[in-house]
Amino acid sequence: MLRIAVPNKGSLSGPAAEILHEAGYQQRRESKELRIVDPVNEVEFFYLRPRDIAIYVASGRLDVGITGRDLLIDSGADAEEILPLGFARSTFRFAAKPGTANGVEDLKGKTVATSYEGIVAGHLEDSGVDASVVHLDGAVETAIELGVAEVIADVVETGTSLRNAGLEVFGEPIMKSEAIVIRRTGTDGEEPKVRQFLRRLQGVLVARTYVMMDYDCRVEQLEKAVALTPGLESPTVSPLHNEGWVAVRAMVPAKEAQRIMDDLYAIGARAILTTAIHACRL
């Protein structure tokens, strides 16, 4: 069986279980379950702490895992990213009291508090900056108030909590993270079960990104219509019973669907419909 690590809690857990369910895999019914077997798909799922997943996958005990890019890099584990999943996005930034620093080059000799020591230490080393890194779990904003560090490095979304603590972000982002699928570095990526697993997840990602669009248009407007809905290879075009009309079907980006419908209507297309795509293989 294919052995897969899944986050058991936190911001990664729910979306990871959702994408696996959409991909046709059985998921646990109780949060206390640490392991389930999906005999139909020949997969065994292990629900682990997100920070530990890269370690387990790197050990070779598990074939693949879903974790965060930040957690993979921070772990230093011998594992690699093979598929970005597009959820649990975050940005890592430096923050400090106003006037402390303008960029990473100003951190020489300073102390940085963070929950992601591996990421920050690697970024400082890559930038050629000699600074100390203090590892703290939980909210790191207090580190500056209590004099443990002059600077913090943490996930920044809106920046509200930092501003409330009298801090401001500075410099370029340290990194951008999201949920990813990982495997042990150097593992044969052509293993059939792994390929099938990735195809299923990719199918879900595409299905979430596109909708199917159907419409009718006059033959003389077909070229203009097809230019608006080129599809992946090309749209499907079928003649209608009424002479001079054709039916067109194509996949279009979901975010652009409303604009495309307006443009099609403007050139004379009618009966314009969109339907969700639940799964696909490209």
Side-chain angles (χ1 to χ4, degrees):
M1 284 192 171
L2 187 67
R3 294 157 66 90
I4 301 173
V6 184
N8 68 343
K9 59 182 179 179
S11 61
L12 290 166
S13 178
E18 184 178 349
I19 194 172
L20 290 170
H21 176 73
E22 289 182 42
Y25 294 105
Q26 178 182 333
Q27 288 298 286
R28 62 181 181 174
R29 297 179 179 178
E30 300 290 338
S31 60
K32 294 181 180 180
E33 293 181 276
L34 301 179
R35 169 185 169 274
I36 67 165
V37 175
D38 181 349
V40 174
N41 292 298
E42 299 184 330
V43 174
E44 191 172 9
F45 291 103
F46 294 83
Y47 296 86
L48 307 169
R49 290 180 67 249
R51 280 190 171 272
D52 296 337
I53 287 176
I55 304 298
Y56 280 105
V57 172
S59 74
R61 303 295 182 182
L62 302 178
D63 300 299
V64 295
I66 295 176
T67 187
R69 184 179 295 126
D70 53 343
L71 299 176
L72 168 62
I73 295 174
D74 194 61
S75 72
D78 192 20
E80 61 185 0
E81 174 181 340
I82 55 175
L83 179 66
L85 296 176
F87 60 84
R89 288 191 170 101
S90 60
T91 303
F92 284 78
R93 304 290 299 267
F94 288 116
K97 290 183 177 180
T100 301
N102 294 317
V104 65
E105 65 277 359
D106 298 326
L107 300 184
K108 182 178 180 180
K110 290 183 168 57
T111 301
V112 183
T114 183
S115 300
Y116 296 84
E117 184 178 0
I119 292 174
V120 176
H123 181 70
L124 292 171
E125 183 179 352
D126 292 342
S127 301
V129 175
D130 184 13
S132 300
V133 180
V134 175
H135 178 84
L136 295 175
D137 286 322
V140 296
E141 294 92 337
T142 311
I144 295 178
E145 182 182 349
L146 296 179
V148 174
E150 297 101 322
V151 179
I152 65 169
D154 203 4
V155 175
V156 177
E157 294 181 1
T158 63
T160 300
S161 61
L162 293 176
R163 287 191 294 271
N164 290 341
L167 308 178
E168 64 178 13
V169 299
F170 63 87
E172 296 296 319
I174 300 169
M175 71 168 294
K176 293 184 181 293
S177 182
E178 65 180 291
I180 59 174
V181 179
I182 64 172
R183 70 180 177 199
R184 185 179 183 182
T185 302
T187 304
D188 181 11
E190 296 303 310
E191 205 279 321
K193 291 182 180 179
V194 174
R195 290 206 313 271
Q196 183 186 66
F197 176 69
L198 294 177
R199 278 198 304 270
R200 286 197 181 191
L201 294 187
Q202 288 168 331
V204 173
L205 294 175
V206 172
R208 290 176 173 182
T209 305
Y210 288 85
V211 294
M212 188 66 72
M213 185 169 288
D214 293 89
Y215 59 91
D216 300 339
C217 76
R218 298 284 305 177
V219 172
E220 56 266 26
Q221 297 298 329
L222 180 59
E223 290 305 315
K224 290 182 180 179
V226 167
L228 294 170
T229 59
L232 297 185
E233 280 79 27
S234 65
T236 301
V237 180
S238 306
L240 293 179
H241 178 71
N242 288 342
E243 188 175 350
W245 284 83
V246 292
V248 183
R249 163 170 277 203
M251 290 173 64
V252 302
K255 291 182 178 180
E256 300 178 24
Q258 292 295 334
R259 177 189 60 78
I260 293 172
M261 292 175 79
D262 290 339
D263 292 343
L264 286 171
Y265 192 89
I267 65 172
R270 295 295 183 265
I272 309 169
L273 308 173
T274 62
T275 52
I277 300 171
H278 296 292
C280 68
R281 295 291 186 274
L282 300 181

